[in-house]
Amino acid sequence: MYGSAVRPTRAERPLAFAIDIGSSSIRAGLYDRCGRLVEGSAARVPYSWDVGPEGSVRLPFRVLLQRVEQALDEAAAAAGPLARETVVAGVSCFFHSIVGLDDAGRPLTPVLSWADTTSAGEAATLRATIDAGRAHARTGAPVHAGYWPARVLRLRQEQPAIQRWAGFPELLAVALTGRAVVSRSMASGTGLMDRARGAWWAEILDRLPVHPGQLSPIVADDQPTGRLAGAAARRWPAFAHLDWFAAWGDGACGNVGLGATGPGQAALMIGTSGAIRIVIRDPAPRIAPGLFAYRLGASTVVGGQLSEGGGTVASISRLLRRSPASLERTAANLAPDGHGLTILPYVHGERGLGYHDGARGVLTGLAPESGAPAIYRALLEAIAYRFAALDERLSTLLAAPPAITASGGALARSPLWAQIVADSLGRDIALALAVEASCRGAALLALRGAGLFHDLEAVPTPRTRTIRFDPERAARYRAGRARQEELYTDLLG
């Protein structure tokens, strides 16, 4: 087990450059072949989405690209002479983004975030007209507003001139290397890919209709796609000699970065959103309803995802006109599930487990004594209950509940939330310390793709701290979760 960072003189060569395009910031840095961040090489650029009516969460392509370019500028400056000892570049990016393009590949629409639910109506139409269970089994993606089939139908209504389709990672690949390609990992998060074959699924394309030539070619996850070209090579000469890989999905990178790639190991992440995932060494394993299955090489990342996470907590904190830090201090003194409140935390609609596109947040049990700290704590508990539900569903695929390594900025900033998660799950969890899991995972996948090692399980894992669950609190949370399930059934079915 290694610490999270290493001095440049002690870093094991060769080095890898990694960039992680998250939902609220872009992070970049150099990593050694043990997956340790090289001190002084990190860059971080925050950004935010344009949130509009009817569930719109979008950003112009050029704006997001400029944020990535800024991160590359800062990372190149920070790397200095170490860039000469760097051999590969890996990219992690959020799943499910989509952009409608003209025939020349120019964006006609903004980039849609995974949180955009404007195509909920189209998703409902698809569920009524196709075999949604069969589509889920074939693609690993539920029929939902967050995936491409419904989004294609919606965007075509908004912009009939669309001729081609791409996610932000493919457009970034064009800007950097001149090649419009998509990794099998990223393509598997669209809802358009046959996960067993690792190719676009003709049946769903015909239904939309979309021609395969309107989509980017799928490339293997472990093969580099080229080097910087044109303006990118001139702007970042320090990185021009690197072999770049097509972006992998951030969830897959997160499991790799936490070392949660072996049997019985799960990664639980709470950043802007949330997810719990395991890696199964099978390209198309059986999956349970409510779970997703995305490819990573010859393996599959199986799990459940929440739109809820630190982004929801930040939104509610603004609504309460209190900082999360001040709410945390007061809420920590309240008794577990002692507030009488029950929350469905679906500010951005529900993904796991029920995938109700149009669901929205619900708060019941308000009383005169209910205050902001109680609402804050009830929200943390409500999201933890949804993780417990996902954990139970995921455990049905395994011989026993998985060992959990947790990470994410929202958890790192909230010791209270980390404890609530452990107590809600009813078992100890390992909390990774000071590690950007997806960025580290992208570096390790690039190093493996370059043939510098072959077994991800042999790579030292990040430092962790054990969060011990308390049986008495766990029992209280089971009662709170039962109330939430009853409210969920009454309102959503």
Side-chain angles (χ1 to χ4, degrees), residues 310-347:
T312 302
V313 171
S315 296
I316 299 303
S317 298
R318 288 192 296 270
L319 185 66
L320 296 172
R321 298 178 182 271
R322 293 274 298 275
S323 72
S326 69
L327 289 167
E328 173 100 1
R329 287 191 296 270
T330 312
N333 296 322
L334 301 179
D337 191 38
H339 38 66
L341 302 174
T342 303
I343 292 179
L344 299 183
Y346 306 127
V347 175

Side-chain angles (χ1 to χ4, degrees), residues 125-126 129-130 153 156 202-210:
T125 299
L126 281 172
T129 55
I130 67 173
L153 296 178
R156 190 177 281 136
E203 186 173 327
I204 192 68
L205 297 188
D206 290 344
R207 171 63 182 77
L208 293 175
V210 170

Side-chain angles (χ1 to χ4, degrees), residues 376-444:
Y376 176 83
R377 178 163 189 139
L379 178 63
L380 299 187
E381 293 170 354
I383 297 173
Y385 298 160
R386 303 320 297 159
F387 273 108
L390 291 172
D391 175 59
E392 284 185 359
R393 189 70 58 88
L394 195 59
S395 296
T396 64
L397 304 180
L398 306 171
I404 288 180
T405 302
S407 72
L411 273 188
R413 292 187 295 270
S414 177
L416 172 61
W417 206 357
Q419 187 64 60
I420 289 172
V421 168
D423 292 334
S424 297
L425 294 176
R427 62 186 186 279
D428 299 346
I429 64 175
L431 181 62
L433 303 176
V435 60
E436 297 293 346
S438 293
C439 204
R440 181 178 192 260
L444 291 175

Side-chain angles (χ1 to χ4, degrees), residues 71-351:
L72 285 167
D73 288 339
E74 295 180 9
L82 289 175
R84 292 193 294 270
E85 300 178 72
T86 305
V87 296
V88 287
V91 181
S92 162
C93 187
F94 54 83
F95 270 120
H96 319 313
S97 67
I98 188 171
V99 184
L101 312 173
D102 67 14
D103 200 43
R106 292 182 294 258
L108 295 176
T109 74
V111 181
L112 272 66
S113 160
W114 55 265
D116 188 296
T117 57
T118 53
S119 57
E122 287 72 21
T125 299
L126 281 172
R127 286 192 293 269
T129 55
I130 67 173
D131 186 337
R134 181 168 177 270
H136 180 221
R138 182 63 66 96
T139 67
V143 179
H144 179 264
Y147 295 92
W148 280 31
R151 294 180 158 197
V152 165
L153 296 178
R154 172 73 180 197
L155 289 176
R156 190 177 281 136
Q157 294 178 35
E158 294 181 11
Q159 181 52 266
I162 292 173
Q163 296 295 316
R164 295 170 56 192
W165 305 94
F168 178 75
E170 296 97 286
L171 298 181
L172 177 62
V174 173
L176 295 179
T177 67
R179 293 190 65 195
V181 294
V182 59
S183 71
R184 187 161 285 120
S185 162
M186 191 62 68
S188 68
T190 62
L192 298 182
M193 196 189 87
D194 182 329
R195 61 193 178 102
R197 293 179 54 244
W200 299 120
W201 184 29
E203 186 173 327
I204 192 68
L205 297 188
D206 290 344
R207 171 63 182 77
L208 293 175
V210 170
H211 188 274
Q214 295 176 294
L215 303 171
S216 300
I218 297 174
V219 296
D221 290 328
D222 56 358
Q223 294 294 320
T225 60
R227 296 182 175 182
L228 296 183
R234 293 189 294 272
R235 181 167 177 173
W236 301 292
F239 297 145
H241 66 287
L242 305 183
D243 290 323
W244 287 72
F245 289 78
W248 303 286
D250 57 353
C253 291
N255 272 62
V256 172
L258 292 177
T261 57
Q265 297 177 303
L268 186 153
M269 182 279 300
I270 305 181
T272 304
S273 58
I276 180 171
R277 305 170 297 260
I278 60 174
V279 176
I280 297 177
R281 291 178 178 174
D282 181 338
R286 177 183 67 87
I287 52 173
L291 301 181
F292 62 75
Y294 306 146
R295 287 284 298 269
L296 180 62
S299 298
T300 300
V301 180
V302 180
Q305 56 199 350
L306 302 177
S307 296
E308 301 73 50
T312 302
V313 171
S315 296
I316 299 303
S317 298
R318 288 192 296 270
L319 185 66
L320 296 172
R321 298 178 182 271
R322 293 274 298 275
S323 72
S326 69
L327 289 167
E328 173 100 1
R329 287 191 296 270
T330 312
N333 296 322
L334 301 179
D337 191 38
H339 38 66
L341 302 174
T342 303
I343 292 179
L344 299 183
Y346 306 127
V347 175
H348 295 292
E350 185 205 15
R351 290 197 285 173

Side-chain angles (χ1 to χ4, degrees), residues 63-81:
V63 173
L64 186 51
L65 179 62
Q66 286 166 5
R67 300 296 180 271
V68 175
E69 291 171 341
Q70 182 182 344
L72 285 167
D73 288 339
E74 295 180 9

